[in-house]
mmCIF file of all heavy atoms in Angstrom:
data_model
loop_
_atom_site.group_PDB
_atom_site.id
_atom_site.type_symbol
_atom_site.label_atom_id
_atom_site.label_comp_id
_atom_site.label_asym_id
_atom_site.label_seq_id
_atom_site.Cartn_x
_atom_site.Cartn_y
_atom_site.Cartn_z
ATOM 1 N N ILE A 21 6.335 -12.144 12.257
ATOM 2 C CA ILE A 21 6.883 -13.351 12.833
ATOM 3 C C ILE A 21 6.891 -14.507 11.804
ATOM 4 O O ILE A 21 7.630 -15.466 11.900
ATOM 5 C CB ILE A 21 6.034 -13.757 14.109
ATOM 6 C CG1 ILE A 21 6.870 -14.673 14.960
ATOM 7 C CG2 ILE A 21 4.742 -14.314 13.761
ATOM 8 C CD1 ILE A 21 6.273 -14.943 16.325
ATOM 9 N N LEU A 33 6.879 -14.063 24.384
ATOM 10 C CA LEU A 33 6.246 -12.871 24.032
ATOM 11 C C LEU A 33 6.079 -12.001 25.240
ATOM 12 O O LEU A 33 5.760 -12.459 26.323
ATOM 13 C CB LEU A 33 4.849 -13.216 23.435
ATOM 14 C CG LEU A 33 4.800 -14.159 22.257
ATOM 15 C CD1 LEU A 33 3.321 -14.438 21.867
ATOM 16 C CD2 LEU A 33 5.604 -13.603 21.113
ATOM 17 N N VAL A 38 2.744 -5.672 22.746
ATOM 18 C CA VAL A 38 2.993 -6.770 21.751
ATOM 19 C C VAL A 38 1.678 -7.518 21.529
ATOM 20 O O VAL A 38 1.297 -7.642 20.379
ATOM 21 C CB VAL A 38 4.057 -7.730 22.243
ATOM 22 C CG1 VAL A 38 4.159 -8.936 21.294
ATOM 23 C CG2 VAL A 38 5.378 -7.002 22.361
ATOM 24 N N MET A 39 0.978 -7.824 22.615
ATOM 25 C CA MET A 39 -0.265 -8.549 22.494
ATOM 26 C C MET A 39 -1.499 -7.646 22.684
ATOM 27 O O MET A 39 -2.498 -7.871 22.104
ATOM 28 C CB MET A 39 -0.347 -9.660 23.553
ATOM 29 C CG MET A 39 0.737 -10.649 23.324
ATOM 30 S SD MET A 39 0.832 -11.874 24.633
ATOM 31 C CE MET A 39 -0.611 -12.876 24.341
ATOM 32 N N GLY A 48 -4.145 -8.139 14.889
ATOM 33 C CA GLY A 48 -3.460 -9.357 14.473
ATOM 34 C C GLY A 48 -2.858 -10.159 15.602
ATOM 35 O O GLY A 48 -2.366 -11.352 15.378
ATOM 36 N N ALA A 49 -2.794 -9.711 16.820
ATOM 37 C CA ALA A 49 -2.119 -10.398 17.870
ATOM 38 C C ALA A 49 -2.850 -11.749 18.242
ATOM 39 O O ALA A 49 -2.236 -12.767 18.382
ATOM 40 C CB ALA A 49 -2.024 -9.542 19.179
ATOM 41 N N SER A 50 -4.170 -11.692 18.387
ATOM 42 C CA SER A 50 -4.892 -12.958 18.689
ATOM 43 C C SER A 50 -4.728 -13.966 17.592
ATOM 44 O O SER A 50 -4.466 -15.155 17.846
ATOM 45 C CB SER A 50 -6.340 -12.633 18.897
ATOM 46 O OG SER A 50 -6.577 -11.870 20.002
ATOM 47 N N ARG A 51 -4.823 -13.538 16.365
ATOM 48 C CA ARG A 51 -4.654 -14.422 15.182
ATOM 49 C C ARG A 51 -3.194 -15.002 15.229
ATOM 50 O O ARG A 51 -2.995 -16.203 14.904
ATOM 51 C CB ARG A 51 -4.950 -13.630 13.875
ATOM 52 C CG ARG A 51 -4.952 -14.519 12.708
ATOM 53 C CD ARG A 51 -5.315 -13.756 11.456
ATOM 54 N NE ARG A 51 -4.422 -12.586 11.478
ATOM 55 C CZ ARG A 51 -4.699 -11.463 10.931
ATOM 56 N NH1 ARG A 51 -5.802 -11.202 10.383
ATOM 57 N NH2 ARG A 51 -3.776 -10.450 10.966
ATOM 58 N N ALA A 52 -2.225 -14.168 15.494
ATOM 59 C CA ALA A 52 -0.875 -14.646 15.471
ATOM 60 C C ALA A 52 -0.607 -15.723 16.540
ATOM 61 O O ALA A 52 0.016 -16.716 16.332
ATOM 62 C CB ALA A 52 0.107 -13.450 15.676
ATOM 63 N N VAL A 53 -1.176 -15.450 17.780
ATOM 64 C CA VAL A 53 -1.043 -16.425 18.867
ATOM 65 C C VAL A 53 -1.714 -17.741 18.459
ATOM 66 O O VAL A 53 -1.144 -18.838 18.680
ATOM 67 C CB VAL A 53 -1.565 -15.850 20.168
ATOM 68 C CG1 VAL A 53 -1.774 -16.883 21.255
ATOM 69 C CG2 VAL A 53 -0.676 -14.699 20.686
ATOM 70 N N GLU A 54 -2.894 -17.650 17.949
ATOM 71 C CA GLU A 54 -3.654 -18.824 17.517
ATOM 72 C C GLU A 54 -2.866 -19.662 16.491
ATOM 73 O O GLU A 54 -2.778 -20.894 16.526
ATOM 74 C CB GLU A 54 -5.040 -18.558 17.030
ATOM 75 C CG GLU A 54 -6.020 -18.136 18.133
ATOM 76 C CD GLU A 54 -6.451 -19.303 19.039
ATOM 77 O OE1 GLU A 54 -6.173 -20.467 18.703
ATOM 78 O OE2 GLU A 54 -6.849 -18.936 20.169
ATOM 79 N N GLU A 55 -2.252 -18.896 15.529
ATOM 80 C CA GLU A 55 -1.443 -19.587 14.459
ATOM 81 C C GLU A 55 -0.215 -20.276 15.026
ATOM 82 O O GLU A 55 0.147 -21.427 14.710
ATOM 83 C CB GLU A 55 -1.119 -18.568 13.354
ATOM 84 C CG GLU A 55 -0.323 -19.164 12.272
ATOM 85 C CD GLU A 55 -1.044 -20.268 11.524
ATOM 86 O OE1 GLU A 55 -2.212 -20.395 11.604
ATOM 87 O OE2 GLU A 55 -0.290 -21.026 10.750
ATOM 88 N N LEU A 56 0.431 -19.604 16.018
ATOM 89 C CA LEU A 56 1.576 -20.221 16.648
ATOM 90 C C LEU A 56 1.209 -21.556 17.291
ATOM 91 O O LEU A 56 1.835 -22.546 17.215
ATOM 92 C CB LEU A 56 2.268 -19.293 17.664
ATOM 93 C CG LEU A 56 3.034 -18.108 17.054
ATOM 94 C CD1 LEU A 56 3.456 -17.126 18.181
ATOM 95 C CD2 LEU A 56 4.241 -18.570 16.238
ATOM 96 N N LEU A 57 0.076 -21.483 18.056
ATOM 97 C CA LEU A 57 -0.401 -22.671 18.793
ATOM 98 C C LEU A 57 -0.858 -23.791 17.791
ATOM 99 O O LEU A 57 -0.530 -24.895 17.994
ATOM 100 C CB LEU A 57 -1.590 -22.320 19.736
ATOM 101 C CG LEU A 57 -1.153 -21.406 20.912
ATOM 102 C CD1 LEU A 57 -2.461 -20.907 21.589
ATOM 103 C CD2 LEU A 57 -0.285 -22.176 21.881
ATOM 104 N N ARG A 58 -1.453 -23.357 16.717
ATOM 105 C CA ARG A 58 -1.907 -24.318 15.692
ATOM 106 C C ARG A 58 -0.693 -25.054 15.100
ATOM 107 O O ARG A 58 -0.783 -26.226 14.815
ATOM 108 C CB ARG A 58 -2.652 -23.635 14.584
ATOM 109 C CG ARG A 58 -3.346 -24.552 13.538
ATOM 110 C CD ARG A 58 -3.861 -23.837 12.327
ATOM 111 N NE ARG A 58 -2.838 -23.278 11.458
ATOM 112 C CZ ARG A 58 -2.075 -24.000 10.667
ATOM 113 N NH1 ARG A 58 -2.118 -25.263 10.669
ATOM 114 N NH2 ARG A 58 -1.183 -23.362 9.901
ATOM 115 N N ARG A 59 0.467 -24.328 14.982
ATOM 116 C CA ARG A 59 1.655 -24.980 14.477
ATOM 117 C C ARG A 59 2.425 -25.725 15.519
ATOM 118 O O ARG A 59 3.541 -26.260 15.235
ATOM 119 C CB ARG A 59 2.505 -23.842 13.844
ATOM 120 C CG ARG A 59 1.991 -23.280 12.605
ATOM 121 C CD ARG A 59 2.903 -22.174 12.151
ATOM 122 N NE ARG A 59 2.439 -21.533 10.961
ATOM 123 C CZ ARG A 59 3.231 -21.313 9.864
ATOM 124 N NH1 ARG A 59 4.416 -21.750 9.855
ATOM 125 N NH2 ARG A 59 2.713 -20.686 8.867
ATOM 126 N N LYS A 61 3.643 -24.573 18.386
ATOM 127 C CA LYS A 61 4.764 -23.748 19.007
ATOM 128 C C LYS A 61 4.375 -23.600 20.463
ATOM 129 O O LYS A 61 3.259 -23.369 20.841
ATOM 130 C CB LYS A 61 4.915 -22.437 18.332
ATOM 131 C CG LYS A 61 5.139 -22.535 16.805
ATOM 132 C CD LYS A 61 6.396 -23.249 16.513
ATOM 133 C CE LYS A 61 6.591 -23.318 15.020
ATOM 134 N NZ LYS A 61 7.865 -24.063 14.644
ATOM 135 N N ILE A 63 4.392 -21.276 23.805
ATOM 136 C CA ILE A 63 4.386 -19.817 23.988
ATOM 137 C C ILE A 63 4.558 -19.545 25.490
ATOM 138 O O ILE A 63 3.864 -20.167 26.335
ATOM 139 C CB ILE A 63 3.039 -19.209 23.498
ATOM 140 C CG1 ILE A 63 2.923 -19.296 21.993
ATOM 141 C CG2 ILE A 63 2.924 -17.767 23.971
ATOM 142 C CD1 ILE A 63 1.581 -18.794 21.488
ATOM 143 N N ILE A 65 4.759 -16.190 28.081
ATOM 144 C CA ILE A 65 4.580 -14.746 28.211
ATOM 145 C C ILE A 65 5.614 -14.298 29.302
ATOM 146 O O ILE A 65 5.687 -14.880 30.409
ATOM 147 C CB ILE A 65 3.176 -14.355 28.710
ATOM 148 C CG1 ILE A 65 2.167 -14.961 27.727
ATOM 149 C CG2 ILE A 65 3.033 -12.873 28.850
ATOM 150 C CD1 ILE A 65 2.358 -14.568 26.321
ATOM 151 N N GLY A 84 -9.189 -12.321 25.314
ATOM 152 C CA GLY A 84 -9.396 -13.379 24.279
ATOM 153 C C GLY A 84 -8.258 -14.272 23.941
ATOM 154 O O GLY A 84 -8.284 -15.104 23.051
ATOM 155 N N PHE A 85 -7.172 -14.191 24.780
ATOM 156 C CA PHE A 85 -6.032 -15.042 24.550
ATOM 157 C C PHE A 85 -6.119 -16.354 25.321
ATOM 158 O O PHE A 85 -6.526 -16.345 26.484
ATOM 159 C CB PHE A 85 -4.700 -14.390 24.981
ATOM 160 C CG PHE A 85 -4.399 -13.147 24.064
ATOM 161 C CD1 PHE A 85 -4.661 -11.865 24.511
ATOM 162 C CD2 PHE A 85 -3.829 -13.299 22.839
ATOM 163 C CE1 PHE A 85 -4.382 -10.792 23.741
ATOM 164 C CE2 PHE A 85 -3.533 -12.277 22.016
ATOM 165 C CZ PHE A 85 -3.849 -10.944 22.476
ATOM 166 N N PRO A 86 -5.865 -17.519 24.695
ATOM 167 C CA PRO A 86 -6.034 -18.843 25.326
ATOM 168 C C PRO A 86 -4.887 -19.184 26.259
ATOM 169 O O PRO A 86 -4.082 -20.083 25.942
ATOM 170 C CB PRO A 86 -6.106 -19.800 24.130
ATOM 171 C CG PRO A 86 -5.197 -19.111 23.126
ATOM 172 C CD PRO A 86 -5.402 -17.593 23.313
ATOM 173 N N THR A 87 -4.801 -18.571 27.426
ATOM 174 C CA THR A 87 -3.639 -18.775 28.299
ATOM 175 C C THR A 87 -3.525 -20.202 28.811
ATOM 176 O O THR A 87 -2.368 -20.557 29.147
ATOM 177 C CB THR A 87 -3.716 -17.817 29.508
ATOM 178 O OG1 THR A 87 -4.936 -18.056 30.260
ATOM 179 C CG2 THR A 87 -3.698 -16.313 29.041
ATOM 180 N N LYS A 89 -3.388 -22.672 27.105
ATOM 181 C CA LYS A 89 -2.539 -23.369 26.115
ATOM 182 C C LYS A 89 -1.141 -22.816 26.108
ATOM 183 O O LYS A 89 -0.277 -23.380 25.398
ATOM 184 C CB LYS A 89 -3.118 -23.202 24.714
ATOM 185 C CG LYS A 89 -4.509 -23.759 24.532
ATOM 186 C CD LYS A 89 -5.055 -23.467 23.131
ATOM 187 C CE LYS A 89 -6.454 -24.127 23.052
ATOM 188 N NZ LYS A 89 -7.024 -23.865 21.696
ATOM 189 N N PHE A 90 -0.790 -21.826 26.903
ATOM 190 C CA PHE A 90 0.529 -21.299 26.999
ATOM 191 C C PHE A 90 1.406 -22.199 27.870
ATOM 192 O O PHE A 90 0.959 -22.835 28.765
ATOM 193 C CB PHE A 90 0.551 -19.895 27.577
ATOM 194 C CG PHE A 90 -0.130 -18.811 26.728
ATOM 195 C CD1 PHE A 90 -0.318 -17.577 27.283
ATOM 196 C CD2 PHE A 90 -0.497 -19.095 25.425
ATOM 197 C CE1 PHE A 90 -0.957 -16.602 26.495
ATOM 198 C CE2 PHE A 90 -1.162 -18.142 24.652
ATOM 199 C CZ PHE A 90 -1.360 -16.893 25.199
#
Side-chain angles (χ1 to χ4, degrees):
I21 201 168
L33 304 176
V38 174
M39 298 173 73
S50 295
R51 188 180 51 211
V53 166
E54 287 291 341
E55 180 62 16
L56 288 173
L57 293 169
R58 187 189 71 74
R59 291 176 179 232
K61 306 300 180 177
I63 295 176
I65 305 305
F85 294 100
T87 60
K89 297 179 182 178
F90 294 169

